[in-house]
Every structure is written in structure tokens, then in C-alpha cells.
Amino acid sequence: MNTVPQRFEILVVPEHAEGRDPARLAEVAIRSGVVRATGELGVSGYPRYEGDGMEAEIDPETRTVEALLVDGAELDYGLSARVSGRTDS
């Protein structure tokens, strides 16, 4: 049985939104995208996900975005990536 979620929605949000409830982060997100499992592990050791111009390594247990490229670039200072409340397993 595969316990690693096969997709996540990632929200790119301003740093000041860090304390907000994840269910409400979509209201302040400047970009979002759905990423799907590639079946590979990234450099961080976590599963890789790709989609909607994003490449991510996500810890499926804590739902933490460990690495992220958006359109091939790292996030600008003042921005962070969060997993939304919506996922598929």
C-alpha cells in the first residue's frame, strides 16, 4: 500500500502570512499549483513532485516543502511555500 500522497497543492505566500491557518492561506497566495509525485527522491531525501511550473521536494509526513523551484527559480526573499489543506493520497 502506497502511503505517500500522490499530489499536493502548493501555495506561495508572503512571509507575513506564515501564522495564518493553512485553510485560509489561499486567500493571500500570490501563486498556487498542483504538483504530482514523480516517483523519485530529491536531494533532500524527500519525494519529488512536479506540476504547474513547480518542482518540489515535500516531506509527506509533516507536509513541509523542503525544496521548491517555481518556473526554474528559487523563491524571492519574503515569500514562502506552504502545502494547502487539500491533497490526494
Side-chain angles (χ1 to χ4, degrees):
M1 183 161 125
N2 189 358
T3 60
V4 175
Q6 295 302 296
R7 69 183 229 162
F8 287 103
E9 180 182 33
I10 295 176
L11 304 172
V12 177
V13 298
E15 193 172 86
H16 65 76
E18 281 296 309
R20 288 184 171 242
D21 178 352
R24 296 182 185 240
L25 284 176
E27 296 173 9
V28 296
I30 61 169
R31 180 148 177 189
S32 67
V34 175
V35 292
R36 290 170 181 75
T38 66
E40 301 172 358
L41 293 179
V43 175
S44 66
Y46 292 105
R48 287 183 46 85
Y49 294 82
E50 293 181 359
D52 290 338
M54 297 181 181
E55 298 175 39
E57 296 174 21
I58 300 173
D59 178 345
E61 189 173 316
T62 64
R63 299 167 45 99
T64 301
V65 179
E66 298 292 340
L68 178 68
L69 294 176
V70 178
D71 298 331
E74 295 180 3
L75 292 182
D76 290 334
Y77 289 106
L79 298 176
S80 65
R82 303 281 296 271
V83 171
S84 79
R86 297 181 280 183
T87 63
D88 284 352
S89 51

